[in-house]
Amino acid sequence: MLIYHLYFHLLEKPASSSFQVFADVQGFAQRYVQDWNTWLAATPSTRPDLFGRILRKWQATRPNSMRRLKDQASHAPPFLDDLLMSAGEPIATLEDLDVRAIRDRSTDQEKALCDLWRIFEQLPTTGTASCVGITKAVLLLTDGKLGPAFDSQVRKKLRVGQPASCTAWISALEAIADDIASFEDTHHIPLTKAVPDAFASLAYGRLYDMALGPR
């Protein structure tokens, strides 16, 4: 069982933690801010190629090579196009769900989360993706609603291991939802009001990811 030392509960000065959240989100590495802005601005027709380029830049399947679009690939199927096509229905099912409301998910939405886990386990050309690649893919395709991505920096700050299954991932998201709710109840403001104005329109999963991510 994973034991979560969650972000808001780790803040050294709870009374002033809203200021620390502001500083942590503000300090998120600018190169990843630029990647995210490019993603949000992309048209549906350019997103498949951009999805692959961003995930490779983010080293989502390190040390293994990642699948490419069919017209770019030298590997056997499935191609990245195939994974994205398979992900279309579960992503649509999750359209109205963000990490803050994960405990209120429907049965269909829980199935959609597990479908995405199985789909994006196939990201590398050999072997299977870890939670790193899977959660980075989901973070992108939900436009930040379902995050954070469980890369090494995020896991180190949360002091957790790698969720190794869909069930463990959902449990982690539930714990993060509780952490966000606790913060908002304590400070009587939504998380979106505790971050710089430039990021206030971003989804909750992305904001949590930025607070923990690379400087």
Side-chain angles (χ1 to χ4, degrees):
M1 179 180 295
L2 296 175
I3 299 174
Y4 295 96
H5 300 263
L6 295 175
Y7 168 65
F8 294 123
H9 291 163
L10 284 173
L11 297 175
E12 294 178 1
K13 298 178 180 179
S16 61
S17 61
S18 60
F19 298 103
Q20 190 171 339
V21 170
F22 185 100
D24 287 346
V25 172
Q26 181 71 55
F28 186 67
Q30 186 61 33
R31 62 189 182 278
Y32 295 115
V33 172
Q34 292 169 351
D35 289 341
W36 195 257
N37 290 341
T38 300
W39 173 255
L40 293 182
T43 63
S45 64
T46 61
R47 274 199 164 192
D49 177 66
L50 186 60
F51 178 76
R53 287 194 286 115
I54 289 177
L55 285 186
R56 286 189 293 274
K57 181 178 179 181
W58 290 359
Q59 300 181 317
T61 61
R62 185 177 59 177
N64 298 321
S65 298
M66 199 181 91
R67 296 188 183 278
R68 290 181 176 264
L69 298 176
K70 185 175 182 179
D71 63 2
Q72 302 170 351
S74 58
H75 59 76
F79 304 109
L80 198 55
D81 323 50
D82 301 321
L83 302 189
L84 288 169
M85 183 172 296
S86 297
E89 184 174 342
I91 289 295
T93 300
L94 295 167
E95 183 178 3
D96 297 329
L97 186 70
D98 69 11
V99 66
R100 180 181 48 170
I102 195 73
R103 288 192 180 276
D104 299 323
R105 66 190 179 277
S106 67
T107 301
D108 286 346
Q109 287 173 327
E110 180 158 345
K111 180 181 181 297
L113 289 167
C114 291
D115 286 345
L116 291 176
W117 185 276
R118 287 189 290 270
I119 290 164
F120 289 116
E121 277 187 324
Q122 302 175 74
L123 270 175
T125 55
T126 57
T128 57
S130 71
C131 65
V132 178
I134 296 167
T135 58
K136 286 181 177 182
V138 172
L139 184 71
L140 281 171
L141 291 178
T142 62
D143 288 340
K145 293 175 185 174
L146 293 173
F150 281 82
D151 60 25
S152 59
Q153 288 210 32
V154 168
R155 297 196 317 271
K156 180 178 180 180
K157 289 181 180 178
L158 291 180
R159 303 178 193 171
V160 303
Q162 291 194 29
S165 67
C166 175
T167 300
W169 174 44
I170 291 173
S171 294
L173 294 178
E174 289 177 336
I176 287 165
D178 293 345
D179 196 36
I180 293 170
S182 177
F183 172 84
E184 294 187 331
D185 288 346
T186 298
H187 295 283
H188 309 293
I189 55 170
L191 176 58
T192 52
K193 296 293 187 182
V195 303
D197 289 344
F199 305 125
S201 63
L202 298 184
Y204 271 64
R206 180 56 173 170
L207 291 176
Y208 203 95
D209 187 75
M210 292 174 72
L212 293 165
R215 305 295 99 188

